[in-house]
Amino acid sequence: MKKLTLLLTSVLFLQAEGYVIQVPTETTNTRTTPVGWVHIQKLLLPLFENVCEESTDPIVVRLNEEFKLDPSHGFYLKPDVIDNLQSLKANKGMLAKGEIFTEYDADHLNELKLVYDILYYAKDFDTFYKAACWARQNVNCGLFVDAIYLAILNRRDTEKITLPAPYELLPNYFIRKDFIIKASSLIRGETFTLPEWVRNEGNAYILEVNYTTNYYEGSNDKLAYFHEDVGLNSYYYLNRLKILPWITDLRNLKNNNCGEHIYHSMKQMMARYNLERYSNGLNELDGIDWDYINEYSYDPMLIYSNGNEFSQRRRDNGDSEILIMLKNIENGLPAVVVHMRDGGYNKSDIINHLMEILVTGEKSYENLALQYLVDKVVSRVPSALEHYMTTIRDPIFWKLNKKIVDIVDKALQVLPSYTRSQLYFPGVVVQNVEVKKIMSSFDNFEFDVTSALKSEGEDVKFQVKINQPRLNHKPFTFKITVSSQVAQKALIKLYLGPKVMPGELVEKKNLFMLLDCFEFNLKIGSNVVTRTSNDMMIMSDDFASLETLHKRVLDAEFGLDTLRSKSVWSQIGFPSRLILPKGTPEGLPMHLFVFVAPYVKATLGGTRNTLDLNSDAILSPGYPLDLSVEIQQLFNLPNALVKDIVVTHKTEGTYNKASNAYNSGNNDNIWQSSDVEFVRPNGPLALSARPAFTKKTFDYKSKKNQYGKKNDYDLKKDEIIEDTKTKDFTTEDEASTKFSDEKSPDNMEVINNIYITPELEHDKSTADIIDKNNMYYKISTDDIYDTSDVYFTPSDLKDTSNFNEFIQTDYNVKPHALLKMPKKRFSNIFNIIFKPIKPDEELYE
């Protein structure tokens, strides 16, 4: 009783003095990861360590030995995936561990699909993890990295896993070869005088790494920090994997706007690149000109894990037959769009089909262009253009990307523009936008390369890290004042573009990059919408390092901390660091375009009035800038506002030599339509003092065909079969013959030598055969659904009560059971070390 009286007296005293303890009434936004996800995260981490060497992790080693390429050993939703891989091993053999993998080799891509199918169609996590351990030990490391990333991105039981950074797995695909060679020498323990750009800091060597700006002249010299940004290259790599033909098959995705998202992503990349050119006083980029392609060459200055250097893209002219095919596609696409428009196809269907022709198809325009750009020498080493990880390093990629965007824009001009009712938001007015000083700068970024570069069995007592300046920005906030006459939900889109004259807004609309897109509940009267740079959900933060992930897992097991729970898809967005262009020290004038659209989420069986409500804001990622617009119809609407802002670049920094080249430069603030970008190639990189790169003496070429593996790799029967043959590119006649053999002439149309087979829904009867200018065109009328008022897919109409039976017939559904809790909760690290999983023990119930 005395204690209670004393407690009450103390509380009354504190209140009387005005010191009231405030108890939080709301939870924080940070979501923690349940113990099951922590366990999965821990199991997956060894798969990413030192990927080009055989894993020494005891669980990975044991499960690899237990795994059998037999449908009876494990559970697969498609049992034929094992047979398909066995057939490949027996007939062609798998790509050897030491060979160079490229996504643009048909055989390599086919093997990637077979390995991915085994990982993806594993019915439970046990089977998936055992198959992943087998792939880790036996599959070519470049191919394995693609397959494991793809599987984690698409499986349901790995959807909350934190992805490690690609540049930590294969740093030689991101960092100049002279720095990679020096880092390897340090790991090997060679004794030499440290150059000025290597510093010893505690238990680590830090390499101050710069870009290729010191070796090239011209406009690309100014943009090397952007082309070679490790975060931007990782973003492109992972998002390019998402649209592989056998993952995103546009012909089999009914009522889907996947093609629109691909096209929107390409336009976003192009807009962002032009903003960086604008910051550096360069002209707007022109698309590639096939008649003057021989004026460009490029050396990526990268090295493969087997010691070969990346090939230079030379000035030699490509195959003239491929060039004819490229020009035929360009000339024929407008006719395709007109025919589809007249046939009743909507904008989404048309863009889906254009993306299949230009980007996602096996014989796409992009693939043909890359074949034309690379050398045709037999047994040549691939170039930067032939890997998703390195494609955007080459400046010519951006010209090709611009060309594709221009082709689509030109073809879509025949479509009607948005009507006023589709753009106008009745009763909503954007009154003002306030933003304080926006500032960019270069900051230092470090990541560890020790694990990736060490050889099997080496016990390195220190770390070797890469330090590189990267473009970043200070946090900033937009305050948008919006008035509304009624309470309603709105979709707000923020775009950033160069400052242009008012009359040029329509002409320059493709230069505006989407910064943010979010919903907001408007109340009656004035609304102040505050949006910070950290709130922008379409962007992603930096990848967590392997070292950080290990620490977080260990902390979670001890109960000291927890992993953050977020979707893997949210981790592969455009880097938030690069949301702003560099700007200039004196301030770069820019335009912020704010657009407020009606937000309507269609429901099954619902109705809507298209004059009052608009679903385009949700269903079309490029709306309202993806079609032709008139300035009076968009930029002068009350629910739209263009605001002048300034982006200032802070030139001071803690870094020195590596970043000085990017802290200067003036801007005329006037853009011309012509492009004067020419690459003046330099000679081969002179590394007179570079050490050899081998296991013992650092001669990296001694690792050829080994990826740092032991010589007994050649003795592994039926697991690794050398296949160093490089197939030449298919000629036009061969390609045409093969394609015509695969496609039936029934219900097909021929225009301008382009072969078109869209499997799209159609609201009319099947089109008759039309022979016009040599283009095949086929229309499928199966599974027709009216989506004018409802947003759903055919799978919504199926009975999914029996999940296992349903997923056997519809592979578009992710086939993996929901995550189950582990049988054991590893309370601390000692249980994991001293109580390993038994051979016959399942990981999950």
Side-chain angles (χ1 to χ4, degrees):
M1 187 64 182
K2 290 181 179 180
K3 292 181 179 180
L4 178 59
T5 303
L6 179 60
L7 176 61
L8 292 174
T9 304
S10 301
V11 171
L12 291 174
F13 174 76
L14 289 173
Q15 289 181 342
E17 293 293 324
Y19 297 101
V20 179
I21 300 175
Q22 296 182 353
V23 179
T25 57
E26 297 181 358
T27 59
T28 60
N29 293 328
T30 302
R31 300 177 61 185
T32 58
T33 303
V35 64
W37 290 111
V38 174
H39 182 58
I40 289 181
Q41 183 79 65
K42 182 178 183 63
L43 289 174
L44 292 177
L45 286 180
L47 299 178
F48 293 99
E49 296 173 348
N50 203 9
V51 292
C52 288
E53 298 285 345
E54 193 167 297
S55 176
T56 57
D57 182 81
I59 295 180
V60 174
V61 172
R62 175 168 54 80
L63 293 183
N64 166 56
E65 295 172 351
E66 296 175 359
F67 180 80
K68 304 294 182 183
L69 278 177
D70 188 334
S72 62
H73 290 258
F75 303 93
Y76 298 92
L77 296 169
K78 292 177 66 175
D80 60 334
V81 298
I82 297 293
D83 295 334
N84 293 338
L85 189 60
Q86 287 178 327
S87 176
L88 175 69
K89 290 184 63 178
N91 297 326
K92 289 186 176 181
M94 297 181 66
L95 185 66
K97 295 279 282 188
E99 291 299 312
I100 299 173
F101 167 79
T102 167
E103 292 91 353
Y104 291 97
D105 185 291
D107 291 335
H108 295 184
L109 201 60
N110 179 60
E111 183 176 335
L112 172 61
K113 179 183 183 301
L114 298 181
V115 175
Y116 167 77
D117 283 347
I118 289 180
L119 299 178
Y120 178 73
Y121 288 109
K123 192 172 183 179
D124 51 48
F125 185 82
D126 281 349
T127 306
F128 159 71
Y129 188 61
K130 291 177 181 178
C133 291
W134 169 84
R136 172 65 178 79
Q137 302 292 75
N138 297 279
V139 172
N140 175 279
C141 82
L143 190 150
F144 168 76
V145 170
D146 279 15
I148 194 65
Y149 271 127
L150 275 172
I152 291 176
L153 284 170
N154 290 284
R155 287 186 62 90
R156 295 176 65 187
D157 49 14
T158 56
E159 62 186 1
K160 298 293 184 182
I161 295 303
T162 301
L163 292 173
Y167 47 81
E168 280 200 350
L169 275 59
L170 296 171
N172 51 305
Y173 281 63
F174 297 86
I175 302 299
R176 271 176 35 194
K177 56 189 176 184
D178 47 336
F179 294 107
I180 292 295
I181 292 170
K182 183 64 68 175
S184 178
S185 299
L186 289 169
I187 292 173
R188 303 299 183 196
E190 278 197 354
T191 57
F192 52 84
T193 302
L194 294 180
E196 60 180 0
W197 44 267
V198 177
R199 71 177 190 269
N200 190 350
E201 190 174 278
N203 195 36
Y205 288 101
I206 312 296
L207 279 66
E208 302 288 348
V209 172
N210 57 20
Y211 301 96
T212 58
T213 181
N214 296 338
Y215 299 92
Y216 283 96
E217 299 177 358
S219 59
N220 290 319
D221 175 62
K222 299 181 180 181
L223 296 172
Y225 69 91
F226 189 80
H227 295 154
E228 301 167 21
D229 185 275
V230 295
L232 184 64
N233 280 265
S234 298
Y235 160 77
Y236 179 82
Y237 160 66
L238 291 172
N239 283 272
R240 192 63 177 80
L241 286 178
K242 294 191 316 186
I243 61 172
L244 284 169
W246 32 269
I247 291 182
T248 306
D249 190 346
L250 300 181
R251 291 174 295 182
N252 294 330
L253 292 178
K254 303 291 185 181
N255 300 310
N256 190 285
N257 63 343
C258 181
E260 280 192 285
H261 285 280
I262 297 172
Y263 173 54
H264 174 67
S265 177
M266 296 179 69
K267 290 186 70 174
Q268 285 285 96
M269 287 281 284
M270 210 63 250
R272 180 61 187 86
Y273 184 64
N274 274 318
L275 288 181
E276 207 60 38
R277 294 177 64 87
Y278 177 54
S279 293
N280 287 277
L282 302 175
N283 299 320
E284 179 185 352
L285 186 70
D286 280 344
I288 194 170
D289 188 338
W290 297 116
D291 295 327
Y292 296 96
I293 194 64
N294 60 341
E295 297 190 18
Y296 300 90
S297 64
Y298 174 70
D299 180 6
M301 301 183 187
L302 298 175
I303 190 169
Y304 287 106
S305 300
N306 64 3
N308 291 326
E309 296 181 357
F310 279 61
S311 291
Q312 297 186 34
R313 178 175 49 76
R314 304 186 184 280
R315 297 183 178 186
D316 302 333
N317 289 325
D319 192 333
S320 59
E321 294 183 353
I322 296 179
L323 182 60
I324 294 174
M325 296 173 66
L326 290 170
K327 292 185 176 181
N328 284 341
I329 294 176
E330 294 176 18
N331 297 330
L333 281 184
V336 173
V337 175
V338 171
H339 187 80
M340 294 185 72
R341 179 201 63 187
D342 296 342
Y345 289 95
N346 59 32
K347 179 191 70 173
S348 180
D349 294 336
I350 292 174
I351 296 180
N352 279 355
H353 188 48
L354 292 181
M355 286 297 100
E356 182 181 5
I357 298 171
L358 294 170
V359 179
T360 63
E362 183 178 348
K363 294 180 174 62
S364 68
Y365 178 90
E366 183 183 70
N367 282 346
L368 288 174
L370 292 174
Q371 291 180 22
Y372 181 77
L373 292 171
V374 300
D375 293 335
K376 308 298 186 300
V377 180
V378 178
S379 301
R380 54 174 285 278
V381 178
S383 66
L385 285 176
E386 296 168 85
H387 304 281
Y388 293 162
M389 283 186 182
T390 58
T391 301
I392 67 175
R393 294 176 68 95
D394 192 333
I396 209 166
F397 158 81
W398 299 95
K399 299 181 73 68
L400 176 60
N401 194 75
K402 180 65 162 57
K403 183 75 169 183
I404 294 175
V405 170
D406 288 345
I407 289 173
V408 178
D409 278 349
K410 181 179 179 181
L412 294 181
Q413 288 179 357
V414 301
L415 298 181
S417 59
Y418 288 113
T419 63
R420 181 178 175 83
S421 62
Q422 292 175 306
L423 300 172
Y424 179 52
F425 196 172
V428 173
V429 178
V430 182
Q431 298 175 319
N432 190 28
V433 178
E434 297 179 10
V435 56
K436 294 183 179 179
K437 189 173 184 179
I438 300 179
M439 181 176 292
S440 72
S441 64
F442 283 91
D443 61 10
N444 289 305
F445 173 68
E446 290 184 0
F447 63 95
D448 193 347
V449 296
T450 314
S451 174
L453 298 182
K454 70 179 183 180
S455 292
E456 180 183 1
E458 286 187 333
D459 186 16
V460 182
K461 302 298 184 181
F462 53 87
Q463 293 176 305
V464 176
K465 296 182 177 182
I466 297 295
N467 181 56
Q468 196 170 39
R470 303 184 309 169
L471 183 63
N472 207 337
H473 61 82
K474 305 295 183 183
F476 59 90
T477 302
F478 294 127
K479 287 187 178 181
I480 309 166
T481 304
V482 183
S483 66
S484 178
Q485 295 181 1
V486 297
Q488 54 191 325
K489 181 175 286 189
L491 191 71
I492 301 178
K493 292 191 171 185
L494 305 177
Y495 291 86
L496 184 67
K499 184 174 182 179
V500 296
M501 298 300 292
E504 297 179 323
L505 285 171
V506 171
E507 179 186 353
K508 302 292 186 180
K509 66 181 179 67
N510 282 351
L511 300 177
F512 283 75
M513 175 188 177
L514 180 64
L515 293 182
D516 200 9
C517 179
F518 60 97
E519 60 182 271
F520 189 83
N521 292 316
L522 296 174
K523 64 181 181 180
I524 299 176
S526 181
N527 300 262
V528 178
V529 182
T530 301
R531 197 69 172 174
T532 69
S533 54
N534 294 331
D535 296 331
M536 297 178 177
M537 301 302 294
I538 62 176
M539 309 290 173
S540 294
D541 295 331
D542 286 333
F543 291 97
S545 66
L546 284 170
E547 181 182 9
T548 300
L549 289 176
H550 278 293
K551 184 179 184 304
R552 289 177 181 174
V553 168
L554 187 61
D555 289 344
E557 290 174 334
F558 277 99
L560 301 177
D561 197 2
T562 54
L563 289 165
R564 292 184 178 181
S565 178
K566 57 182 179 180
S567 167
V568 291
W569 291 93
S570 68
Q571 303 169 43
I572 61 173
F574 191 84
S576 59
R577 291 182 301 101
L578 299 177
I579 192 172
L580 295 177
K582 185 184 71 172
T584 58
E586 62 275 12
L588 180 68
M590 306 197 73
H591 273 152
L592 179 69
F593 172 51
V594 182
F595 183 75
V596 183
Y599 185 98
V600 179
K601 185 173 291 184
T603 57
L604 189 63
T607 60
R608 64 183 175 92
N609 184 339
T610 56
L611 295 179
D612 299 327
L613 303 177
N614 176 28
S615 63
D616 289 320
I618 302 172
L619 305 184
S620 178
Y623 167 88
L625 300 181
D626 54 345
L627 293 178
S628 299
V629 296
E630 296 181 7
I631 192 167
Q632 296 297 331
Q633 284 186 322
L634 176 60
F635 294 101
N636 288 347
L637 289 174
N639 54 303
L641 180 67
V642 178
K643 179 76 173 182
D644 289 344
I645 65 172
V646 174
V647 177
T648 304
H649 180 65
K650 183 180 179 181
T651 57
E652 298 81 14
T654 57
Y655 49 87
N656 296 315
K657 298 181 179 179
S659 58
N660 286 341
Y662 314 114
N663 282 327
S664 61
N666 297 321
N667 193 324
D668 298 332
N669 298 332
I670 299 176
W671 281 35
Q672 305 296 330
S673 59
S674 63
D675 181 38
V676 295
E677 179 182 68
F678 294 96
V679 181
R680 299 191 183 102
N682 208 351
L685 178 64
L687 295 174
S688 58
R690 84 179 189 182
F693 200 11
T694 96
K695 266 187 163 181
K696 301 298 182 183
T697 64
F698 296 98
D699 181 7
Y700 211 13
K701 292 183 181 292
S702 70
K703 287 189 171 186
K704 188 173 182 180
N705 300 331
Q706 297 180 36
Y707 267 92
K709 303 301 299 172
K710 293 181 178 178
N711 292 330
D712 61 359
Y713 248 119
D714 297 333
L715 302 179
K716 292 189 175 183
K717 297 180 180 179
D718 300 328
E719 291 186 342
I720 300 176
I721 302 178
E722 296 287 337
D723 184 13
T724 58
K725 297 180 180 179
T726 302
K727 294 183 179 291
D728 200 358
F729 296 106
T730 308
T731 64
E732 179 186 14
D733 294 338
E734 293 171 344
S736 302
T737 303
K738 182 179 179 180
F739 192 89
S740 61
D741 291 341
E742 295 173 352
K743 304 296 179 183
S744 170
D746 299 336
N747 298 329
M748 303 182 79
E749 183 178 354
V750 188
I751 303 177
N752 293 343
N753 291 317
I754 303 179
Y755 302 89
I756 312 299
T757 57
E759 299 291 335
L760 303 169
E761 54 273 84
H762 192 258
D763 59 355
K764 297 183 180 180
S765 60
T766 304
D768 297 331
I769 301 175
I770 302 176
D771 188 352
K772 183 179 179 183
N773 299 332
N774 296 326
M775 172 191 284
Y776 286 115
Y777 191 95
K778 185 175 71 173
I779 298 174
S780 174
T781 59
D782 299 335
D783 300 331
I784 301 174
Y785 299 99
D786 183 5
T787 60
S788 58
D789 294 327
V790 183
Y791 180 50
F792 64 96
T793 61
S795 60
D796 294 323
L797 305 179
K798 300 178 182 179
D799 178 17
T800 60
S801 55
N802 188 336
F803 180 76
N804 290 332
E805 179 180 350
F806 173 57
I807 58 181
Q808 294 285 350
T809 59
D810 191 344
Y811 295 130
N812 289 330
V813 177
K814 292 184 178 181
H816 322 108
L818 296 179
L819 178 67
K820 298 180 181 180
M821 300 300 290
K823 286 185 175 182
K824 295 181 180 180
R825 289 195 177 191
F826 294 109
S827 58
N828 55 52
I829 192 65
F830 300 101
N831 287 342
I832 299 175
I833 296 175
F834 297 110
K835 296 182 180 179
I837 301 173
K838 298 177 181 178
D840 57 347
E841 179 182 0
E842 293 185 355
L843 296 175
Y844 288 86
E845 296 176 353

